[in-house]
Amino acid sequence: MDTKHADFIREAIRMARNNVESGQGGPFGALVVKNGQVIGRGVNRVTGNNDPSAHAEVEAIRDACKNIGHYWLKDAVIYASCEPCPMCLGAIYWARIKTIYFAADNKDAARAGFDDSFIYREFALPREDRSVRSVQFKDSERNQPFDHWIRMENKARY
């Protein structure tokens, strides 16, 4: 890994360490970088904000999108102190980020009590076998929002 990548990874690690010391969230930090410039920063704020979605990568993506004024981060990369969890990975894909660089892996996170392996296992199960009950209510109007979207001419595609 070249020096520039190492510098960004070390910054994400420093942010994660400082976040632990602040008491505002868990040991995670992330940067979104485009054309060699940091466009978004985030640290884990789950406990500080009482928000289970306030993971470092999601916070960095939100910050980057706000800063560039767009919901796509094409040609951007994300540097994370740890391998992204399933939720963060989903956000990374939706943001169209092209590369993920991370330091610690999911086994390191699990050792510290942040084990998301059960989520991956749950995804592979049929809905009726998952630990979180998931029930489809087949209302006659369930497809109206999609039908309306399909007919719209001036929609922002994502």
Side-chain angles (χ1 to χ4, degrees), residues 143-158:
N143 285 312
Q144 286 181 355
F146 294 116
D147 294 339
H148 184 67
W149 174 262
I150 291 165
R151 288 189 304 271
M152 274 185 63
E153 291 184 22
N154 297 330
K155 56 188 159 210
R157 297 189 184 275
Y158 60 97

Side-chain angles (χ1 to χ4, degrees), residues 3 10-12 19-20 23 40 62 66 72 89 93 98 102-103 122 126 151 153 156:
T3 305
R10 287 188 184 118
E11 175 64 8
N19 197 51
V20 170
R62 288 173 179 159
K66 180 184 72 171
W72 276 350
L89 193 57
Y93 274 87
K98 68 177 186 174
F102 62 91
E122 289 277 310
R151 288 189 304 271
E153 291 184 22

